[in-house]
Structures are given as C-alpha cells and as structure tokens.
Amino acid sequence: PSKSPRPNHQGRHPRRGESPEPPAVRFLNRLEPVASAEPIEESATKTLGADAMQAREEEGTSLQYGGETDRDRQCEHPQVAFFHLFFRTAAILTYVFCTWVSSSFVLSFIITVLLLAFDFWTVKNVSGRLLVGLRWWNEILPDGSSEWRFECADMSHRRTNALDSTVFWVGLLVPPVLWVLFALGALLRLNFEWLLIVAVALGLNGANVIGYLRCRKDNVANLKSMVTNAGMSAGMGSLMRNLPFSI
C-alpha cells in the first residue's frame, strides 16, 4: 500500500497534486516569530517608571526621618543669601579698615551707617521671608500706639531649605556678637565717636534678632500645636474605628 503524505506544518495533509514542503521550509515555519520592539519599549518605560517611584519613595523617607537630600545641599535663593551676608559684612569691614583709607570720621560714619541701613531693610523685608519663611513688622494702631506683629509661613505647604536656614541664622546672630566686642574695645579706648557707630549697629541688628527670634518661637509653638492636633485626630479616629457599635 502507498504511504500517505506527511502532514505539513499547519497540521493538514497536502492535497492531491500538491507537493509536500521541503524540510528547510518546514524548519523555518517552526521558528517562533521575532518579538516586536513595542514590548521592549514598554518594558523599558515600566523600568524607568519604577526607578522614578523608588527615588521618590527614598526622598520621602529621607524627609520623613529628617535626612538630607540633594535639595538641602543647594541654596534655593543664592542672590538673597549673598546680599543677606554682603551688607553686614561690608559694614564690619568698613568699621575696622576705614581708617586705613581715610582719616575722616564723618566719611566712615556715613558709609557704615548706610550699609547698616541697607542690611536692616534687606534682612527684615527680603531674606527672612524667602530663606526661612519668617516676617515681623511694627504696626501703628489707630490710637497711636505701636504693636509688633510676627508671621511665619505655613509649613504644611512650604519646606525650609537647610542650607538657606543655616546661612540666615548664622548671618543674623554672628555680627551682633562682633559689634558687642567692638563696643567693648571703644569703651576701653574711650573712643566715644566710634562707639556711636557701634550703638547704631547694635540697635539695627538687635531689632532684627529680637524680631526673628520671636517669630521662631511662635513658629515652634504653631508646629507643636499642629502635631498635637494631628495626634489627637489620629487617636480619636482609631478609637472610633475600634468601637463595637457605630454612632
């Protein structure tokens, strides 16, 4: 008896008069088609998305536990930080070295006081608000009396940069200490003319120090109140969920 032809790669027998497929064709037909580039691109996109999500989670964990990130190592307001330090540093240098350039006390007094005035305005109205989110001012009431007002930014919507904060507080607190030393030196030398410049510097710098320390104190009190309220809300929510009945 004649042998029936072998089935081809499609699982059917060749029809009468149809020649069977050569072995090379059957081998090529059995090969799996090459995967298209679309799944590869999709897999790469998923991988990049997973890496981005992991980086965000790491950053969030670092912020939650007080760790530093790349953002904390960079100054967000470099121009503001520069002028925050420039005017007060220039005033100190003018006070110390002005006699090397000119023997005129009036010229030294004018330049130093102008630099101190520029520094007072910059720290009070610009650098404190942008670097640490604090602001203070003196308001005249309708009855003629004055009232100090202190304001801090909402920390739930704004996070203070660590480097900006360090630059601000170091630049705010160190110069008054130097002016106190200059005052002691002027008293020991009985140089009351230069003591007048020191008195102006201590008055302007001291106003900013007192104002921002009061702002910081109010800010810490607000943060404690916020944490306490959040803890009480979480505790009440947990208690309500554990009740055996619904209210």
Side-chain angles (χ1 to χ4, degrees), residues 57-78:
E57 291 178 358
E58 291 178 356
E59 182 178 359
T61 304
S62 176
L63 295 179
Q64 181 180 0
Y65 293 98
E68 289 189 356
T69 61
D70 293 337
R71 175 179 175 271
D72 294 322
R73 301 187 186 98
Q74 298 177 356
C75 188
E76 289 190 353
H77 305 90

Side-chain angles (χ1 to χ4, degrees), residues 5-8 12-21:
R6 296 180 179 178
N8 56 14
R12 66 180 182 84
H13 295 277
R15 298 178 182 178
R16 182 175 298 178
E18 181 180 353
S19 60
E21 295 179 347

